[in-house]
Amino acid sequence: MKTSYKLLVLAFLSFWLILGLNACSDDSTGADDEESCNISLPSEFAPVTVDVSYFDSQTEPEADEAQFQTYFQVEQTARQANLSFGGSAVFILAPQLITFAKFTGVSPEFENGSCVWTISPPPSQTQGLDLTVTVRGSSTADGVNWEIIYDGDLTDGGSVQDYKILTGFTSTDNSNGEWNYYLPENQSSEVLTYTWSVEAEEDYDLGVTANPNEFGVAAIGYSKGGVQNSLTINTGDGEIEAFWDEDLDSGWIELPGESRQCYTAFRNEACP
């Protein structure tokens, strides 16, 4: 997990720097569309995640925990999925980089059909790392293709040159897209892919596929349709399926090799 954590730290660092530039810079450089940069930097790494706000709002049952076991299993599974592809790294880096975003302003340059941002923040704003992040955005008919290159220090004391840490695509309205992560030692094969598709604020799907040796999971699939939530997690040793309905306080979980377990009004109940 150490390699993946370092990778995610660098990835989120890159994205918070990009967020700062997006807030402070002018995206256009001229009237000629062929020689101007009128695309915006991506403002969010993960537009949608596994929604655990329902569990956050609950008052945990105080009675015998055994009768609430299935509900607790569903909650634990949802929280595990929410954190499995690096959400925790955001909270480590955000305070420093939001501060940095307040005074950063870099305009893109038009190079070979792409808009290129070159970001070289002071080490005081990057956990002491000496780094440069290069972002290349190329317009397509329905969005932007992205490539993010990292040069400089690594958190383990090493360094890299021309390290392609991320590639991806974001649609024009950011309703769908994909990000691919790469390790420094293997930039020809992504170690994690995150995709999303949003129909409405409470109606969306996401998927994660990853190297389980690095991230502990092989795949996550999640669909939110209003108050109904469906989740699958594959750890490489089998698939866990879970479902919960926020209005009915009911749901179920199916663990590898076991029968489905259900609950209603938080209490264990025979499955229909």
Side-chain angles (χ1 to χ4, degrees):
M1 295 294 288
K2 290 183 178 179
T3 301
S4 61
Y5 177 78
K6 292 171 184 174
L7 169 64
L8 286 166
V9 166
L10 296 179
F12 278 107
L13 180 58
S14 300
F15 270 95
W16 278 108
L17 294 175
I18 291 167
L19 176 61
L21 291 174
N22 196 43
C24 302
S25 62
D26 183 355
D27 291 322
S28 60
T29 58
D32 187 350
D33 287 341
E34 295 184 356
E35 296 184 358
S36 65
C37 290
N38 48 12
I39 61 175
S40 297
L41 288 159
S43 60
E44 294 179 286
F45 158 68
V48 291
T49 60
V50 177
D51 184 8
V52 296
S53 60
Y54 165 74
F55 301 104
D56 292 337
S57 66
Q58 298 304 315
T59 300
E60 298 292 354
E62 297 179 358
D64 176 17
E65 285 195 10
Q67 63 180 307
F68 303 106
Q69 180 181 6
T70 302
Y71 164 76
F72 285 132
Q73 284 183 306
V74 171
E75 177 184 8
Q76 182 181 17
T77 301
R79 293 191 185 280
Q80 176 189 352
N82 189 51
L83 293 175
S84 286
F85 56 105
S88 58
V90 174
F91 302 105
I92 296 171
L93 295 169
Q96 292 178 337
L97 296 173
I98 288 176
T99 300
F100 173 70
K102 293 179 180 179
F103 61 83
T104 299
V106 176
S107 297
E109 296 183 0
F110 192 82
E111 298 179 3
N112 299 321
S114 298
C115 295
V116 180
W117 291 260
T118 302
I119 310 161
S120 298
S124 61
Q125 300 296 328
T126 59
Q127 297 186 339
L129 301 177
D130 183 9
L131 61 89
T132 298
V133 177
T134 302
V135 184
R136 294 188 178 93
S138 303
S139 294
T140 69
D142 52 357
V144 181
N145 288 324
W146 298 99
E147 186 175 67
I148 300 177
I149 306 298
Y150 181 94
D151 291 274
D153 296 339
L154 295 174
T155 53
D156 61 2
S159 62
V160 290
Q161 290 185 330
D162 296 325
Y163 165 29
K164 179 184 67 177
I165 187 171
L166 290 165
T167 62
F169 168 81
T170 56
S171 64
T172 302
D173 60 0
N174 209 37
S175 64
N176 64 84
E178 175 179 300
W179 291 112
N180 303 294
Y181 291 82
Y182 301 85
L183 293 176
E185 59 268 25
N186 184 7
Q187 297 181 50
S188 62
S189 179
E190 61 272 12
V191 70
L192 183 148
T193 296
Y194 161 72
T195 62
W196 72 92
S197 178
V198 179
E199 294 294 330
E201 183 177 357
E202 297 294 318
D203 185 2
Y204 59 84
D205 301 281
L206 68 84
V208 177
T209 56
N211 182 334
N213 295 327
E214 294 291 341
F215 291 92
V217 295
I220 295 173
Y222 174 71
S223 295
K224 183 170 182 63
V227 298
Q228 296 188 330
N229 303 263
S230 299
L231 173 66
T232 60
I233 301 179
N234 190 323
T235 62
D237 297 321
E239 189 170 81
I240 301 170
E241 296 184 61
F243 171 84
W244 63 98
D245 187 304
E246 299 169 12
D247 277 356
L248 299 177
D249 296 325
S250 65
W252 53 263
I253 188 167
E254 194 168 310
L255 301 174
E258 299 183 16
S259 59
R260 180 174 294 183
Q261 303 295 315
C262 302
Y263 70 93
T264 299
F266 304 112
R267 288 177 169 80
N268 301 344
E269 185 173 88
C271 294

